[in-house]
Amino acid sequence: MGKTDIKSMTVPELEELLSGYGQPRFRAGQLFKWLHSGVTDFDAMTDMPLKLREALKENCYIADVTVARRLQSEIDGTVKYLYRLSDGEYIESVLMKYEHGYTVCISTQVGCRMGCSFCASGINGLCRNLTPSEMLSQIMAAERDNNIRVSNVVMMGMGEPLDNFDNSVRFLQLVSDDKGMNIGLRHISLSTSGVVSGIEKLAEYNFPITLSVSLHAPNDEIRNSMMKVNRKWNVDTLLKACKAYQRVTTRRISFEYALIEGVNDSEACAKELAKRLKGIMCHINLIPANPVKENSFKKPDKNKILAFKQQLVSLGLNATVRRTLGADIDASCGQLRRRAKEVDGSDN
Ligand code: SAH
Ligand code: SF4
């Protein structure tokens, strides 16, 4: 039997585990604190009995990620990481500095099976889900590498978090635990391509996170051409689910809209978008599309992007163009991993 992924366990689960070793309840909190302080070795837990540490070493492992590549922007200090996982797979993370602190963009899967046409992460499909501990470790590794504390997290790296639902929810519970990293749910965004079944389930948890929905198109015709997921849950179904989610959580929803030249950037698209989003308390995040080696999409020129934004604003919507960070290390999410895999000679 494989070892237990102890960093993915909640305090009550640790209590149960430790009671099996005849340990008092308070040890679970102590152990949780150690695990979430970023230690990678049971021997570092110096206030835990030696015998217990030995037993844990035998039966459990502490998940970690190691830095395989680190690219730092000379413009704004943004750091892009390629992390290596314990099974040799690679994932990407980005560390960004804002006025209010540091934000980490984490991956939730190795690869992705949603297959959006403009995205590098999904080109070879899904390899595997990340564990909650591997999600946490991406933040811990960035903190360790830069000697900083991270205050905000966006689940917007590789993968579809709602296609790895249970692990993503557990990650949210663990990362916000005040005995651990204590990053408030209000400081966390989860981005989905529009997995409606997941949005419905997530509403039941009523987390005060920000839900980001990658809409990218105002109608089914355009969205079908960009995102396979739209054939399962179309724009109407998705927006209905967003409204229902908002009724429960009362949180503003953020809609991502990647502007691609000649695809979804017309004035008509802006007007239709404004009409569709009527009645949803939201913010629209316009993202100039990142060119990906494997496709031919281009971003519109600056004036067109601003005109699109102005059109939305004049129709009463709250829209901004995403600030470009790390323009000089620009590699859209999924591309670093693809390059690493090319070098390794593997095709997933
Ligand atoms: N799977 C989730 C979260 C990860 S993708 C989702 O799709 O929402 C994070 C964001 O990056 C999404 O909004 C996605 O549509 C966007 N994205 C992916 N490839 C892009 C590209 N080449 N240019 C601009 N945005 C892109
Ligand atoms: Fe997956 Fe998101 Fe990329 Fe689509 S945009 S393939 S859902 S990671």
Side-chain angles (χ1 to χ4, degrees):
M1 220 176 74
K3 291 188 174 186
T4 301
D5 172 14
I6 197 166
K7 209 158 95 179
S8 289
M9 294 173 81
T10 59
V11 175
E13 285 166 352
L14 289 175
E15 279 174 4
E16 203 179 317
L17 178 85
L18 293 188
S19 77
Y21 297 113
Q23 293 293 322
R25 279 170 82 95
F26 76 88
R27 285 258 183 260
Q30 212 178 354
L31 178 56
F32 188 91
K33 266 190 199 152
W34 275 118
L35 292 167
H36 295 264
S37 72
V39 302
T40 52
D41 189 345
F42 290 106
D43 285 329
M45 305 178 180
T46 44
D47 55 0
M48 305 277 276
L50 187 62
K51 252 179 97 176
L52 175 63
R53 279 188 262 155
E54 293 300 327
L56 291 175
K57 246 192 264 182
E58 204 161 300
N59 300 309
C60 308
Y61 72 95
I62 304 177
D64 197 18
V65 298
T66 52
V67 180
R69 267 191 85 185
R70 180 187 199 277
L71 296 176
Q72 182 152 26
S73 163
E74 292 189 1
I75 303 170
D76 52 45
T78 296
V79 187
K80 180 133 193 173
Y81 288 102
L82 181 71
Y83 288 129
R84 195 169 195 278
L85 306 175
S86 54
D87 61 354
E89 291 297 339
Y90 293 101
I91 50 165
E92 299 178 17
S93 266
V94 184
L95 172 70
M96 295 159 282
K97 186 163 196 248
Y98 292 97
E99 270 138 45
H100 54 264
Y102 286 95
T103 297
V104 171
C105 172
I106 64 161
S107 292
T108 54
Q109 295 181 314
V110 183
C112 181
R113 66 183 176 131
M114 308 311 288
C116 304
S117 61
F118 47 85
C119 174
S121 297
I123 291 173
N124 285 100
L126 176 67
C127 173
R128 72 167 173 88
N129 283 330
L130 293 186
T131 59
S133 56
E134 287 170 328
M135 298 182 205
L136 291 166
S137 296
Q138 296 170 58
I139 309 169
M140 291 170 183
E143 290 191 333
R144 194 160 60 211
D145 190 44
N146 299 279
N147 202 16
I148 49 147
R149 299 300 299 186
V150 166
S151 53
N152 293 65
V153 178
V154 294
M155 300 168 85
M156 279 191 192
M158 291 171 49
E160 167 53 57
L162 299 184
D163 187 41
N164 183 14
F165 189 87
D166 292 346
N167 287 347
S168 294
V169 162
R170 183 174 275 257
F171 162 77
L172 289 169
Q173 289 163 334
L174 293 172
V175 77
S176 59
D177 194 305
D178 59 7
K179 288 194 197 60
M181 299 188 84
N182 197 17
I183 300 179
L185 291 169
R186 284 172 197 280
H187 297 256
I188 302 179
S189 296
L190 181 151
S191 177
T192 178
S193 57
V195 176
V196 165
S197 57
I199 295 173
E200 288 167 354
K201 269 201 286 176
L202 191 64
E204 291 169 21
Y205 289 85
N206 202 358
F207 289 133
I209 58 170
T210 299
L211 180 67
S212 283
V213 175
S214 300
L215 190 58
H216 302 325
N219 59 47
D220 287 334
E221 195 189 339
I222 303 176
R223 201 162 189 268
N224 280 340
S225 75
M226 301 166 71
M227 304 176 78
K228 273 193 331 204
V229 66
N230 200 66
R231 293 175 192 272
K232 182 149 189 191
W233 294 290
N234 67 14
V235 175
D236 251 353
T237 312
L238 174 57
L239 294 181
K240 259 191 211 134
C242 290
K243 282 182 190 156
Y245 182 89
Q246 185 154 75
R247 270 197 299 277
V248 175
T249 61
T250 68
R251 302 281 298 164
R252 185 168 82 157
I253 291 178
S254 174
F255 287 102
E256 309 291 305
Y257 196 102
L259 283 160
I260 304 176
E261 189 186 60
V263 174
N264 62 359
D265 62 341
S266 67
E267 200 181 317
C269 282
K271 284 186 178 153
E272 196 177 355
L273 181 65
K275 214 165 130 193
R276 296 301 281 267
L277 295 183
K278 232 177 148 191
I280 306 182
M281 181 179 52
C282 65
H283 170 252
I284 303 168
N285 210 349
L286 298 169
I287 318 162
N290 264 314
V292 170
K293 200 180 80 184
E294 288 80 356
N295 67 43
S296 55
F297 293 131
K298 283 201 199 80
K299 62 178 166 212
D301 69 41
K302 234 183 177 167
N303 290 336
K304 189 108 201 222
I305 294 171
L306 285 179
F308 195 93
K309 185 196 117 173
Q310 271 326 112
Q311 182 71 253
L312 293 176
V313 171
S314 71
L315 293 168
L317 284 156
N318 182 338
T320 50
V321 180
R322 180 180 288 174
R323 188 157 70 103
T324 317
L325 282 174
D328 53 335
I329 53 164
D330 197 315
S332 308
C333 217
Q335 297 206 81
L336 270 188
R337 170 172 170 264
R338 286 192 63 73
R339 277 188 224 130
K341 284 280 168 185
E342 277 164 19
V343 174
D344 275 5
S346 149
D347 66 353
N348 196 331

